[in-house]
Amino acid sequence: MTIGALVDEYRPAVAEVLARVRQGRSGEPAATALAMAAAAIVGAIDRVDLARACARSPDEVAHGLAELAGHLELDWLTAAVGRLPAGNRWQARARARLAAELSELRQHLLRQVLGGRLPATAAARGVLDEMKVNEPQDLAMLSAGLAEIRRVMGC
């Protein structure tokens, strides 16, 4: 894709997020508002990418992600991966690889949700719950946990 085509593809989603951010200002500190806006923009870009990968509209993807979130807290796992240290290039590479694997899992599960055939998630929720109570989470735990989730969900 050309840069212009990419800008055209992402523009509506980012513009929608920015409009909501402008409307939602309620006296919060500027740093907090900026962090929330940045996270929302990244989320919008992610939905556009998922829509392209799944050959669906961003709205369908948003609904599918909401349904998936109701079954499995992948956002918690994403945040846990984001909290991993990246003080040297090997830590950064390991964290990036784990984030990529999680993104692949989310895309796979989203396709299943959009197709109306999400596998049973009780065992995967159990893995996530076990990881949550064992703080702090580290690379080994999150890597093994993600592998276990993939195994129990047949991915």
Side-chain angles (χ1 to χ4, degrees), residues 8-46:
D8 289 344
E9 186 173 12
Y10 292 120
R11 180 179 285 128
V14 172
E16 180 184 325
V17 167
L18 291 175
R20 280 196 312 247
V21 168
R22 285 186 194 109
Q23 291 172 351
R25 289 193 178 156
S26 58
E28 62 216 8
T32 301
L34 183 59
M36 289 172 39
I41 289 170
V42 169
I45 290 170
D46 188 43

Side-chain angles (χ1 to χ4, degrees), residues 88-152:
N88 62 52
R89 81 179 180 126
W90 294 108
Q91 288 176 329
R93 289 177 78 175
R95 184 172 80 175
R97 182 66 227 145
L98 189 58
E101 289 174 16
L102 180 54
S103 180
E104 290 167 8
L105 174 65
R106 182 186 310 272
Q107 183 176 325
H108 176 79
L109 295 176
L110 176 61
R111 280 189 170 119
Q112 290 184 332
V113 166
L114 293 172
R117 59 186 190 284
L118 183 66
T121 56
R125 278 194 308 268
V127 173
L128 280 169
D129 290 343
E130 186 177 345
M131 285 192 293
K132 286 180 188 179
V133 298
N134 287 293
E135 292 186 355
Q137 292 83 25
D138 61 15
L139 178 63
M141 180 192 304
L142 295 175
S143 294
L146 182 57
E148 183 64 10
I149 290 168
R150 290 177 79 110
R151 186 190 69 75
V152 299

Side-chain angles (χ1 to χ4, degrees), residues 1-12 48 52:
M1 283 186 123
T2 67
I3 291 174
L6 285 172
V7 169
D8 289 344
E9 186 173 12
Y10 292 120
R11 180 179 285 128
V48 170
R52 184 181 333 110

Side-chain angles (χ1 to χ4, degrees), residues 47-106:
R47 284 190 301 280
V48 170
D49 289 342
L50 285 168
R52 184 181 333 110
C54 295
R56 300 292 183 111
S57 74
D59 286 340
E60 288 175 297
V61 166
H63 291 296
L65 288 172
E67 183 178 339
L68 180 58
H71 294 284
L72 199 57
E73 294 180 79
L74 293 180
D75 289 341
W76 176 87
L77 190 53
T78 300
V81 169
R83 289 189 298 270
L84 289 172
N88 62 52
R89 81 179 180 126
W90 294 108
Q91 288 176 329
R93 289 177 78 175
R95 184 172 80 175
R97 182 66 227 145
L98 189 58
E101 289 174 16
L102 180 54
S103 180
E104 290 167 8
L105 174 65
R106 182 186 310 272

